[in-house]
Amino acid sequence: MLNDYLRVHGYAATDGDRFGWDTRIGVQAFAKDIGVLGADSVGSFDPSWVVFLPDGGVVQKVEFTVGAPAPAPGAEVVTLRSSLVDAVLLENAPPENDPPDKDGARSEPVEPTTTAAANEVLVVNGETIGLAEDRQRVKPDYLGDLASMVADGSPSLVAVLRTDAAPGEWVVPVPGVIIDPSGATCVKVRSNDGVRSVPVSIVGTTDGRMVVSGDLEPADSIAVYPTSVSITCT
């Protein structure tokens, strides 16, 4: 194990588990790099030279000072950044005054959870984040990416459920979708012969635009009208 540790960190090491001559050279070089007095004459590896972090993690704060006396056994030497173990889709952000417990964990969310539709994808800061099978949680494989986007100490961050257009569906400007007084929904398609109404059904929204289904073509030009203008689908 010692030889593996030295080798991984770029120091000389004997093959196998023996404490050979190369291991001694590697230990002395390591001791010199970390400031051990008399490093050139050490003949063994002192476990007190390193800090063992059984769970791993990212160090947020170092609790000791270089050059000061060594911390007492059992003393805190580093504070790890809280890790993200779960992420749930909520309709609203949890209260900011919900403090973490002593281990950095927070209480279960009390706001109603949101279930993403089959054709919705979760987007955070422009990046797509994978969802678990229940469509209410983030896939464990994406928690690391998500954690890098969360501000320290914040219990939540803003995300968007984006509706991707499926075959037979179209993404159009929101002002181009008309809902007239009769409840009919349509878009107006421009052509050389004028403007014609095409009935559509609203599927969802994506990036500030509307996803609709209807008898449209990729080359169709959708007319957009000011909200102050009264337009009907007839």
Side-chain angles (χ1 to χ4, degrees):
M1 183 175 180
L2 173 59
N3 286 322
D4 290 340
Y5 178 85
L6 292 171
R7 194 175 297 108
V8 165
H9 290 82
Y11 297 98
T14 303
D15 292 335
D17 296 329
R18 292 186 308 107
F19 191 101
W21 181 253
D22 285 341
T23 307
R24 182 187 179 95
I25 293 175
V27 168
Q28 289 177 347
F30 176 76
K32 184 176 182 180
D33 285 347
I34 64 174
V36 174
L37 296 178
D40 292 336
S41 61
V42 298
S44 62
F45 184 88
D46 188 342
S48 67
W49 292 344
V50 296
V51 176
F52 177 57
L53 302 176
D55 296 327
V58 178
V59 175
Q60 180 173 344
K61 182 181 179 183
V62 177
E63 305 288 352
F64 58 86
T65 303
V66 176
E76 293 185 359
V77 292
V78 294
T79 299
L80 297 182
R81 179 179 297 172
S82 298
S83 59
L84 187 62
V85 297
D86 194 14
V88 183
L89 305 185
L90 301 179
E91 292 182 6
N92 299 290
E96 290 291 339
N97 58 359
D98 177 23
D101 61 22
K102 61 182 180 62
D103 296 321
R106 293 182 183 270
S107 60
E108 287 294 319
V110 296
E111 294 289 339
T113 56
T114 293
T115 302
N119 62 339
E120 289 182 323
V121 294
L122 182 67
V123 179
V124 182
N125 293 345
E127 295 189 27
T128 300
I129 302 295
L131 292 173
E133 290 185 6
D134 64 2
R135 309 291 293 171
Q136 295 181 345
R137 282 179 152 77
V138 171
K139 272 186 178 179
D141 294 347
Y142 287 83
L143 289 175
D145 295 336
L146 193 63
S148 66
M149 306 176 191
V150 181
D152 289 341
S154 175
S156 64
L157 78 166
V158 177
V160 176
L161 284 174
R162 187 184 69 198
T163 303
D164 282 347
E169 297 176 349
W170 311 93
V171 179
V172 300
V174 172
V177 179
I178 298 167
I179 303 176
D180 70 13
S182 70
T185 306
C186 66
V187 296
K188 299 288 187 176
V189 178
R190 293 193 184 97
S191 67
N192 293 333
D193 298 327
V195 177
R196 61 186 174 90
S197 291
V198 177
V200 296
S201 297
I202 297 175
V203 177
T205 59
T206 176
D207 296 334
R209 295 176 294 173
M210 197 78 76
V211 179
V212 300
S213 61
D215 188 16
L216 297 171
E217 297 295 334
D220 284 342
S221 175
I222 305 299
V224 175
Y225 298 93
T227 54
S228 59
V229 177
S230 179
I231 303 293
T232 64
C233 290
T234 56

